[in-house]
Amino acid sequence: MNQEPKKGFGTANGKIILMGEHAVVYGEPAIAIPFPAVSIQTTIEQKIGPATLDCTFYRGLLQEAPLRLNSLLTAISETLAVLKKSAVDFSITITSMVPPERGMGSSAAVAVATIRALYDYFNQPLEREQLMHLIDVAETIAHGNPSGLDAAMTSGTTPLYYVKNQAFEAFDLNLNGCLIVADTGITGQTKKAIQLIEEQFITHQAATQQKITQLGTLSKQAKLALSSNDKETLGESMNQAHHLLQQLGVSNSTLDLLVDTAIENGAFGAKLTGGGLGGCMIALAETQTDADWIALKLKQNGAKNTWIYQMGANQIEK
Ligand code: MEV
């Protein structure tokens, strides 16, 4: 008798990296916050006929699409293998508000929501450790050499100070300010950005290591600033981090223009967020009014979308 439930549901958040992207791959700390303004839902329903997968939000992707689909299909087949199930007659439907390849953790979030939905469908409990392992399998395909930060953020609900292979360290954000997130509308290709830095380690080992270490130092400085409401220091750390990421070759002219625009219009600091080579940037402002003004200027200078995150209240608006 088939006792499997007829429906399964899973969800996941996007994420924003405040500091430490790329350096985190090499063991330096990073700071990230969950970003529920953009989320993913996976629904699984029993149906007659072969299993189907609907993830139409990947349609806009061109050269990145095979990698993304491969990562997702691997997450599904690995999960079914762990659950000792075969692809039965079901349909998987994924809806996403996380723009893919924008540094918001889309690939990890798709995997998290879908793995959760499969466990729910087969009515099995899902331990965090097992979830992290399954996401890592998918992320290794999507990113090549993932630090685990995206997996930790998209499967959790708290801001993290994250060091690869160490226990997650949650911390309170005592910063009273507004974070503006702006999407360049350009797909970022995190895997390519990671490879770019790997190549620099081969050609310029010492100089590359120095920049990575400096990025880690900035994450430590930012953590103190976040806990003591020191927006000047946090803003300055963000500017320095963007400069280092530029030198590592993972920024581009659109990100640089938006970072400059934010600073010229009163931000304490600004930087790219996530893998770079496109994707999103973030800026720090004192008040909602300042943030609204900066968001307007960012849109006038090419941002395709902006979000404002009130850090004190942990609220998000579009
Ligand atoms: C991508 O969101 C963040 C990177 O640091 C890669 C990773 O941590 O796996 C660029």
Side-chain angles (χ1 to χ4, degrees):
M1 196 171 66
N2 184 1
Q3 294 187 334
E4 286 161 2
K6 287 199 167 7
K7 267 205 165 195
F9 183 72
T11 185
N13 287 328
K15 65 97 193 20
I16 294 294
I17 301 182
L18 293 182
M19 296 292 283
E21 50 274 274
H22 289 293
V24 68
V25 173
Y26 298 95
E28 295 295 336
I31 300 174
I33 52 174
F35 197 52
V38 290
S39 65
I40 289 197
Q41 283 83 33
T42 299
T43 307
I44 303 181
E45 285 173 303
Q46 225 166 17
K47 69 183 260 292
I48 296 167
T52 57
L53 173 64
D54 177 349
C55 49
T56 41
F57 57 93
Y58 276 158
R59 247 183 216 153
L61 293 179
L62 297 172
Q63 71 259 45
E64 304 88 3
L67 198 65
R68 294 280 142 166
L69 281 174
N70 190 6
S71 163
L72 172 58
L73 290 171
T74 304
I76 293 170
S77 61
E78 277 288 314
T79 305
L80 290 173
V82 171
L83 289 170
K84 298 190 174 48
K85 304 281 180 190
S86 52
V88 291
D89 297 349
F90 56 54
S91 64
I92 301 181
T93 306
I94 309 172
T95 53
S96 173
M97 288 166 64
V98 185
E101 286 292 358
R102 304 292 214 292
M104 288 184 170
S106 158
S107 59
V110 167
V112 171
T114 306
I115 295 162
R116 282 181 170 154
L118 282 165
Y119 270 77
D120 189 37
Y121 185 82
F122 291 110
N123 208 13
Q124 296 292 317
L126 175 58
E127 302 290 334
R128 181 92 190 261
E129 208 176 306
Q130 183 64 64
L131 176 60
M132 292 296 289
H133 162 71
L134 289 166
I135 311 165
D136 188 57
V137 173
E139 283 290 272
T140 301
I141 293 170
H143 285 185
N145 181 17
S147 66
L149 175 62
D150 287 12
M153 291 312 302
T154 54
S155 61
T157 52
T158 49
L160 288 183
Y161 182 79
Y162 180 88
V163 181
K164 191 175 175 175
N165 298 330
Q166 288 188 14
F168 304 155
E169 192 184 321
F171 69 103
D172 285 330
L173 282 182
N174 292 321
L175 196 98
N176 194 1
C178 284
L179 199 69
I180 304 107
V181 181
D183 182 4
T184 61
I186 301 168
T187 55
Q189 299 176 46
T190 302
K191 188 169 188 171
K192 191 169 158 197
I194 290 176
Q195 279 167 355
L196 261 178
I197 296 182
E198 276 171 6
E199 282 160 24
Q200 288 172 58
F201 262 104
I202 296 167
T203 52
H204 302 89
Q205 209 269 335
T208 308
Q209 182 58 60
Q210 198 184 23
K211 291 181 189 96
I212 293 291
T213 308
Q214 283 173 335
L215 281 167
T217 305
L218 289 171
S219 290
K220 291 173 198 155
Q221 196 171 297
K223 187 185 179 208
L224 288 176
L226 281 160
S227 61
S228 57
N229 195 23
D230 184 351
K231 291 183 274 283
E232 283 80 9
T233 302
L234 180 61
E236 185 48 37
S237 308
M238 289 165 73
N239 292 341
Q240 287 178 26
H242 185 73
H243 192 53
L244 287 163
L245 291 163
Q246 263 179 332
Q247 290 173 12
L248 286 165
V250 295
S251 188
N252 69 6
S253 55
T254 311
L255 284 165
D256 291 345
L257 173 68
L258 294 182
V259 164
D260 290 346
T261 302
I263 294 166
E264 278 159 22
N265 285 282
F268 288 104
K271 63 182 276 293
L272 69 82
T273 180
L277 296 178
C280 291
M281 55 78 67
I282 53 173
L284 181 66
E286 175 90 58
T287 62
Q288 176 79 43
T289 310
D290 294 347
D292 285 342
W293 172 253
I294 293 166
L296 176 72
K297 289 287 157 188
L298 290 172
K299 277 206 166 141
Q300 285 173 353
N301 280 279
K304 294 290 173 288
N305 204 355
T306 57
W307 297 262
I308 295 172
Y309 182 100
Q310 285 190 336
M311 295 186 74
N314 272 4
Q315 275 173 7
I316 295 167
E317 287 175 16
K318 231 177 191 186

